């Protein structure tokens, strides 16, 4: 029997007023501030190509964990941080038409204020809401065929804990999980990325199928949360 309940999710849009998109995203005791900044230019290596760019930065603030996490210094970003922010950027670009974005850059900053498992998946799910608000600051009135985002994206963790498939792992479950997996999907049900590993354990086809099925259910629920949060700003089927 699987554990199929998401942790409580709360979304507060427009949490700050310095960027066109900002969201305080809570998932259980994990809290992430996601801001989306828009610039009317692209990196030097993209100038003249008629395409835009979407990237992300991720950071865990010192007080987000106990004991305190040391602050990362310029030029000394650790491997985990680099891997996560690349994942976030890839996830957003997977649902974007960079040609329609034009020569503009979007940067999604995801700062973990409090960590209790699932920080990367919370950053993607909350960050997408901030991304849409930033895109809509320029493209709110364009026809659907000219809109630069093709679909929504959300992410969730799943795992096998004491032999049971579980959804949306908090830290206590994550550290004892036999199998730990992060799944990124579109709202229409297509996979973007799957990160899964056995923690001193293995898993078979049936268990993998159960985890992916559970992840799909979780993504469907999170997509509804995103849709409700964005209201009239939702432009996806």
């Amino acid at each position: 029997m699987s554990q199929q309940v998401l942790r409580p999710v709360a979304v507060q849009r427009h949490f700050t007023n310095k960027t066109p998109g900002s969201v305080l995203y809570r998932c259980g005791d994990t809290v992430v501030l996601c801001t989306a900044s828009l610039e009317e230019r692209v990196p030097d290596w993209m100038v003249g190509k008629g395409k835009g760019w979407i990237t992300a930065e991720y950071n865990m603030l010192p007080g987000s964990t106990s004991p305190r996490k040391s602050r990362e210094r310029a030029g000394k970003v650790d491997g985990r941080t680099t891997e996560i922010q690349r994942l976030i950027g890839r996830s957003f670009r997977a649902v974007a038409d960079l040609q329609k974005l034009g020569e503009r850059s979007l940067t999604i900053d995801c700062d973990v204020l409090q960590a209790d498992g699932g920080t990367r998946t919370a950053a993607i799910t909350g960050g997408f809401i901030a991304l849409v608000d930033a895109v809509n600051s320029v493209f709110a009135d364009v026809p659907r065929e000219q809109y630069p985002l093709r679909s929504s994206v959300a992410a969730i963790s799943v795992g096998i804990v004491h032999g049971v498939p579980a959804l949306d792992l908090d830290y206590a479950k994550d550290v004892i999980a036999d199998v730990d997996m992060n799944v990124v999907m579109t709202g229409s049900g297509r996979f973007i990325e799957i990160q899964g590993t056995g923690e001193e354990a293995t898993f078979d086809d049936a268990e993998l199928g159960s985890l992916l099925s559970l992840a799909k259910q979780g993504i469907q629920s999170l997509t509804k949360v995103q849709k409700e949060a964005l209201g009239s700003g939702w432009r996806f089927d």
Side-chain angles (χ1 to χ4, degrees):
M1 183 177 179
S2 60
Q3 302 172 26
Q4 301 183 11
V5 179
L6 284 173
R7 289 178 286 173
V9 175
V11 176
Q12 186 174 346
R13 288 170 66 208
H14 311 304
F15 189 73
T16 64
N17 62 6
K18 303 301 182 184
T19 61
S22 69
V23 169
L24 187 70
Y25 184 88
R26 298 176 180 270
C27 177
D29 286 332
T30 289
V31 185
V32 184
L33 173 61
C34 306
T35 57
S37 303
L38 176 68
E39 296 180 279
E40 294 290 331
R41 62 186 180 89
V42 291
D44 291 344
W45 57 274
M46 291 192 71
V47 172
K49 295 183 179 180
K51 297 171 61 176
W53 186 243
I54 301 174
T55 190
E57 293 190 10
Y58 167 95
N59 187 39
M60 291 183 66
L61 299 187
S64 64
T65 63
S66 181
R68 177 185 184 274
K69 183 183 186 298
S70 297
R71 194 179 299 274
E72 293 179 347
R73 304 299 179 184
K76 295 185 178 180
V77 177
D78 67 32
R80 177 182 179 273
T81 295
T82 299
E83 183 264 324
I84 291 175
Q85 59 193 25
R86 287 177 177 173
L87 167 67
I88 298 168
R90 286 196 305 270
S91 299
F92 295 150
R93 291 193 297 273
V95 297
D97 187 324
L98 299 180
Q99 292 284 161
K100 293 177 181 177
L101 184 60
E103 292 203 2
R104 299 180 177 89
S105 295
L106 284 154
T107 301
I108 318 303
D109 288 291
C110 303
D111 292 293
V112 179
L113 308 185
Q114 182 170 283
D116 186 35
T119 61
R120 75 184 66 192
T121 56
I124 291 170
T125 305
F128 180 74
I129 300 171
L131 171 63
V132 171
D133 275 334
V135 168
N136 287 351
S137 71
V138 176
F139 294 94
D141 299 323
V142 301
R144 184 67 185 91
E145 61 271 14
Q146 296 176 23
Y147 193 69
L149 297 176
R150 295 185 291 253
S151 184
S152 64
V153 57
I156 195 67
S157 65
V158 289
I160 297 177
V161 182
H162 297 314
V164 178
L167 177 67
D168 194 15
L169 307 183
D170 61 15
Y171 179 77
K173 290 180 181 176
D174 183 67
V175 295
I176 63 171
D178 298 318
V179 177
D180 182 21
M181 185 176 294
N182 297 300
V183 181
V184 187
M185 297 181 68
T186 69
S188 60
R190 295 184 64 83
F191 291 103
I192 293 175
E193 189 151 342
I194 301 170
Q195 300 178 331
T197 186
E199 302 286 350
E200 300 182 12
T202 61
F203 54 102
D204 59 22
D205 290 351
E207 290 169 318
L208 176 59
S210 294
L211 290 176
L212 294 180
S213 177
L214 199 54
K216 287 182 180 181
Q217 295 175 38
I219 296 293
Q220 288 173 357
S221 296
L222 292 175
T223 300
K224 291 179 180 178
V225 170
Q226 292 172 321
K227 184 175 182 179
E228 291 173 0
L230 283 163
S232 61
W234 186 262
R235 299 285 301 269
F236 314 102
D237 295 332

